[in-house]
Amino acid sequence: MNILIITQYFYPENFKSNDLAFELKNRGHQVTVLTGLPNYPEGKIFEGYGFFKNREQTINGVKVIRSLLLPRGKGGGLRLFANYYSFAFFASVKAFFLGLNNRFDAIIVHEPSPITQYYPALLMNKLWKIPVYFWVMDLWPESLSIAGGVKNKFVLSYYTKVIKGFYKNSEKILITSKGFRGAINEKGDFNNKIVYFPNWAEDAISEGSKDFPIPPMPEGFKVMFAGNIGEAQDLDNIMRAALQLKEKKNIKFILVGDGRKMPFVKEFVEQNDLHDTVNIMGRFPVEAMSSFFDKADVMLVTLKDDPIFNLTVPAKLQAYMSASKPVIAMLNGEGADNILDAGCGFTVDAGDYSALAETIVKASELSSEELQKLGSNSRKYYAENFKMSACISNLENIISKKA
């Protein structure tokens, strides 16, 4: 098939769109990616890219076309608005000419946020009737309200109407969490369009080498959090748990990643003198994750206590499971259910930092054999439910109308 993937985020940015494009190409499909100039998460255009640099590339056999956009900067509301809509506008212009010169069988919109990434696909669907498969990884306008802090009723009502139109226009709506089904159906009768299409772990994690050079790890029971350090991940309560465990010098929190909450984390560590127990590693490429995970005793996954996050399964959970690691979770909903079903760790209610601290102490007292058993359960559940090869095979069936 001749497949177009539309996404604001693509290599060298680290998103699932990379795996999707390269794996479809490896399976013999012709794949084109319409994306923007890479600038996530730092907020500035990556070195080597620009108005006249690498606007068109071929990466691993995938044709990559980059539209202009205003970089996200430090992520303030107006700057993000400009970032989202500048991509939507310039990518729509690119999409028009792509549609004139190509015969695409399907368009996949990869949407971890914002929904404005859908506009170029909408244009191509209206002009050339190309079916659009909407891969929903973030619910709007709920995410805009909760994670983005937008409370204006007019704005939320506007985006509710917009997303209804996108759902109506889609051939299929691919959801990463089963909990999304109800929230989407509240906006219309879309049940027959909805298909469960979960996240997976990158091969660099699930099958990766453990020899990537990383900083030395502290001695002790290592509780590792890896990924985006953002608002949704409830770093406030992770830090409160760390403060509660301040005198437990054997327990070490390891933070791998970066994001909008990192300044808060650094300030909290400084103000509360947590340097002995909280270790900030910084951001590393996905290829390093296997080496980091190998050094951890347990992995930590958290989300804030909010209805939208209770419907969400964090993508890092699949990564943790693929690496055969025990998991401690401070979240509600489907993510917690996955951990309990797998028998691979411990869950506490979202926001309950005292219970998190107690659970970490409990886990630190387990034998290596007990921890290894939990890790084996993680890997088994991942292989049965979240393996990339099975997910992409399912997607091929969906877009070829066989499922």
Side-chain angles (χ1 to χ4, degrees), residues 73-291:
K74 295 183 179 179
L78 289 176
R79 192 61 182 263
L80 283 178
F81 179 88
N83 172 251
Y84 294 165
Y85 277 93
S86 62
F87 172 77
F89 174 78
F90 288 112
S92 293
V93 174
K94 286 282 190 181
F96 176 78
F97 291 103
L98 271 175
L100 285 177
N101 298 311
N102 296 272
R103 290 280 186 178
F104 294 108
D105 298 304
I107 299 171
I108 301 171
V109 178
H110 166 252
E111 184 264 322
S113 237
I115 57 167
T116 46
Q117 296 171 89
Y118 196 98
Y119 281 114
L122 181 65
L123 174 73
M124 298 182 79
N125 175 266
K126 295 300 184 185
L127 291 178
W128 295 289
K129 308 301 179 186
I130 307 169
V132 180
Y133 298 85
F134 193 16
W135 189 10
V136 177
M137 310 177 85
D138 208 357
L139 289 173
W140 274 54
E142 294 91 340
S143 181
L144 189 65
S145 172
I146 296 158
V150 176
K151 303 301 180 184
N152 185 289
K153 292 182 179 180
F154 174 80
V155 172
L156 297 177
S157 176
Y158 168 76
Y159 280 108
T160 298
K161 292 177 182 177
V162 169
I163 196 64
K164 283 181 180 178
F166 292 167
Y167 290 151
K168 184 177 180 180
N169 192 75
S170 300
E171 184 77 15
K172 292 290 182 183
I173 303 165
L174 311 177
I175 57 174
T176 54
S177 170
K178 294 175 183 177
F180 283 8
R181 183 180 291 270
I184 291 172
N185 278 327
E186 285 178 1
K187 299 174 179 65
D189 185 12
F190 302 116
N191 200 53
N192 290 335
K193 292 186 175 187
I194 298 173
V195 179
Y196 178 54
F197 184 64
N199 279 310
W200 57 82
E202 291 87 349
D203 285 347
I205 296 173
S206 60
E207 311 296 341
S209 168
K210 298 177 177 58
D211 297 328
F212 194 98
I214 60 173
M217 294 288 111
E219 294 294 326
F221 184 78
K222 291 176 277 294
V223 181
M224 184 175 292
F225 178 99
N228 184 38
I229 311 289
E231 289 290 342
Q233 287 73 36
D234 200 6
L235 272 298
D236 301 68
N237 281 315
I238 293 177
M239 289 296 98
R240 291 187 181 109
L243 181 59
Q244 195 163 311
L245 297 175
K246 180 177 179 178
E247 301 308 317
K248 298 279 187 180
K249 300 298 185 182
N250 183 55
I251 294 176
K252 308 294 185 182
F253 286 81
I254 314 291
L255 303 182
V256 183
D258 202 355
R260 294 171 66 183
K261 287 291 284 188
M262 185 54 81
F264 158 79
V265 172
K266 290 180 177 178
E267 183 178 355
F268 192 97
V269 170
E270 188 69 34
Q271 289 180 347
N272 294 282
D273 191 24
L274 294 176
H275 302 285
D276 286 345
T277 56
V278 177
N279 299 264
I280 299 171
M281 295 294 157
R283 184 168 174 260
F284 285 80
V286 67
E287 291 79 12
M289 291 305 104
S290 187
S291 294

Side-chain angles (χ1 to χ4, degrees), residues 292-314:
F292 273 109
F293 289 8
D294 184 54
K295 304 298 183 185
D297 293 292
V298 297
M299 304 301 297
L300 178 62
V301 57
T302 57
L303 283 176
K304 281 188 172 181
D305 183 14
D306 195 278
I308 185 176
F309 298 138
N310 295 345
L311 302 177
T312 301
V313 179

